[in-house]
């Protein structure tokens, strides 16, 4: 199969960008979307042109590095998968595919389809951790964890921090990400001592980065490659309220 | 003080204020409807109720000013959040926005809210302040007195007001948008205040739609009944009674009142 790509090209943040159309060579429908970009880039390189810059790392849906808004949806047409797990068989021969970078003020454009997502790292640094005594590993069963808490914490921890929630939200809100990260610690016994300090610090860092507020449209949940639930946002709202009252 | 600053500055704090003020308004809108449904009892019931609400000036103004403050808070927060949400995406997508999983009501809250507030302004001028030039009726609202008691005749006013069909239609639009605002608003309220979990989520959604439907049908029932003739004879009776009363009154009485 072959497709026509309409890709956002921009040399750097200071140069204006534009869409450029590329006709791909013959492709295998079982290629991933990123492999297709590799093929196009190989061709561009041979022609002496600048290859398309895009983010990727694990290519198996666990690192959260790949991004892209494909025909208006972050991570392409399928639900519950990242761009690296999106395959050309989800498209038809001859399709024109629009490929854009994630758009949000806190995600500054670096080059072509690459945006900086360090804002997420700064939110994690503000409180997304558990302070522990370093040294020898503690006994695995030293702290009992209720199964229910372990499972819900695991659901939250499934968030790979890709930023698709921000990209799709009409308000560019990061609440799904932040709430998942607040909850993955806050649901576990080990996360209790810093529970309220953590949520306050992470929410306030999120605000400083300039993300929008949640209007509960639910788009984030719908495009999340890990299907993180809106319930975590409610949980974060609850915890932040308690944190405010406690002066945390 | 620090608490207040964080409440008003953080996105989550602003959402609490949005949801809290919205919640108070929902309670008001429900109470207002339950009171108004006395329209389907004999006229004396609604008139007694109107008199009860109007007669204690201190309580009346306490409630009015509180509601005004709540509405202003709701609007100010809505506009502030809207502005910061817009600022968070300075460059738009080229692909036309598709609303993955987002309902129409959730994407149009500001618009539906602003139309509701415009409607509210008209409603207050129409039935509370009683600006005669905007009601389009042949009878002057402020002359309507209940024959037996001399109370202000709310029932007759409602009948006269809604007999003007363009006004009734505008009410339909206002109430329709209010219900639309609340299909999303009530569910969002629970989310913003943290009262949602996997068990409650579907219940909350259904309850929000149920409440919005109750408000819509309840509020629409009154103008609809009027357009089908309810209260027409009573209104004629009151108008005649008032004409006689005003004809007998010594000159200047109307002004002194
Ligand atoms: C009787 C009048 C009104 C009622 C009962 C009402 C009720 C509500 C409720 C319950 C919410 C949900 C709060 C939340 O997001 O957690 C809400 C949200 C909202 N309302 Fe209203 N509202 C009213 C009037 C208005 C007006 C006049 C405006 C216009 C400025 C407005 C604009 C909004 C906006 C923008 C939201 C935000 C939705 C969101 O962020 O999810 N509302 N309203
Ligand atoms: S490249 Fe790691 S998740 Fe897609």
């Amino acid at each position: 199969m072959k497709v026509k790509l309409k890709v956002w090209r921009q040399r750097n943040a200071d140069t204006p960008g534009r869409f450029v159309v590329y006709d791909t060579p013959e492709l295998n429908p079982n290629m991933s979307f990123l492999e297709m970009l590799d093929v196009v880039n190989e061709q561009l390189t041979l022609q002496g042109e600048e290859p398309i810059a895009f983010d990727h790392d694990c290519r198996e849906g666990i690192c959260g590095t790949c991004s892209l808004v494909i025909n208006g949806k972050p991570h392409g047409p399928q639900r519950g998968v990242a761009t690296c797990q999106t395959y050309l068989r989800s498209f038809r021969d001859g399709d024109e595919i629009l490929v854009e970078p994630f758009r949000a003020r806190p995600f500054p454009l670096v080059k072509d389809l690459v945006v900086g997502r360090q804002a997420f790292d700064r939110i994690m640094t503000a409180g997304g951790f558990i302070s522990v005594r370093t040294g020898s590993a503690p006994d695995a069963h030293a702290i009992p964890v209720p199964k229910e808490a372990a499972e819900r914490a695991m659901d939250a921890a499934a968030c790979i921090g890709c930023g698709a929630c921000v990209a799709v939200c009409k308000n560019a809100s990061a609440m799904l990400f932040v709430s998942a990260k607040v909850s993955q610690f806050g649901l576990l016994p080990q996360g209790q001592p810093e529970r309220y300090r953590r949520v306050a610090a992470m929410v306030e860092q999120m605000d400083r980065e300039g993300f929008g507020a949640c209007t509960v449209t639910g788009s984030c949940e719908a495009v999340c490659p890990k299907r993180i639930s809106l319930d975590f946002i409610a949980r974060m709202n609850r915890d932040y309220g308690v944190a405010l009252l406690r002066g945390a | 003080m620090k608490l207040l600053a964080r409440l008003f500055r953080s996105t989550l704090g602003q959402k609490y204020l949005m949801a809290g003020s919205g919640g108070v308004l929902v309670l008001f809108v429900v109470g207002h409807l339950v009171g108004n449904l006395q329209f389907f009892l004999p006229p004396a019931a609604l008139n007694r109720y109107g008199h009860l609400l109007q007669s204690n000036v201190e309580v009346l103004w306490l409630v009015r000013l509180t509601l005004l403050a709540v509405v202003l808070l709701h609007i100010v927060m809505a506009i502030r959040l809207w502005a910061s949400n817009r600022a968070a995406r300075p460059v738009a997508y080229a692909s036309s926005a598709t609303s993955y999983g987002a309902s129409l009501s959730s994407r149009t809250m500001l618009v539906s809210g602003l139309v509701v507030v415009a409607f509210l302004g008209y409603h207050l001028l129409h039935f509370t302040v009683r600006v005669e030039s905007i009601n389009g009726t042949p009878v002057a609202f402020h002359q309507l007195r209940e024959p037996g008691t001399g109370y202000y005749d709310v029932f007759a006013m409602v009948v006269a007001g809604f007999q003007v069909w363009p006004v009734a239609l505008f009410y339909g639009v206002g109430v329709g948008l209010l219900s639309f605002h609340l299909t999303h608003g009530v569910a969002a309220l629970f989310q913003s205040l943290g009262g949602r979990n996997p068990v409650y989520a579907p219940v909350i959604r259904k309850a929000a739609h149920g409440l919005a439907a109750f408000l819509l049908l309840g509020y629409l029932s009154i103008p609809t009944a009027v357009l089908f003739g309810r209260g027409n004879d009573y209104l004629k009776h009151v108008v005649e009674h008032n004409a006689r009363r005003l004809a007998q009154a010594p000159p200047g009485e109307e002004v002194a009142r």
Side-chain angles (χ1 to χ4, degrees), chain A residues 56-59 61-66 82 84 160:
Chain A
H56 59 99
D57 189 12
C58 73
R59 300 205 176 197
I62 54 164
C63 73
T65 310
C66 57
C84 57
I160 52 178

Side-chain angles (χ1 to χ4, degrees), chain B residues 108-192:
Chain B
T108 51
M109 287 299 276
L110 188 66
V111 180
S112 59
L114 288 174
V115 178
V116 167
V117 107
F119 164 74
L120 183 68
Y122 178 80
H123 179 53
L124 289 176
L125 293 175
H126 185 217
F127 279 160
T128 306
V129 184
R130 297 182 200 125
V131 176
E132 304 286 355
S133 57
I134 60 163
N135 61 31
T137 56
V139 286
F141 274 179
H142 66 270
Q143 287 176 356
L144 299 170
R145 301 277 135 188
E146 191 179 47
T149 57
Y151 290 165
Y152 183 72
D153 203 322
V154 179
F155 187 95
M157 173 185 75
V158 170
V159 174
F162 287 147
Q163 281 184 347
V164 184
W165 71 262
V167 170
L169 185 70
F170 183 49
Y171 269 77
V173 173
V175 170
L177 279 173
L178 175 65
S179 306
F180 187 60
H181 189 80
L182 294 186
T183 51
H184 178 68
V186 171
L189 183 157
F190 282 94
Q191 172 82 349
S192 299

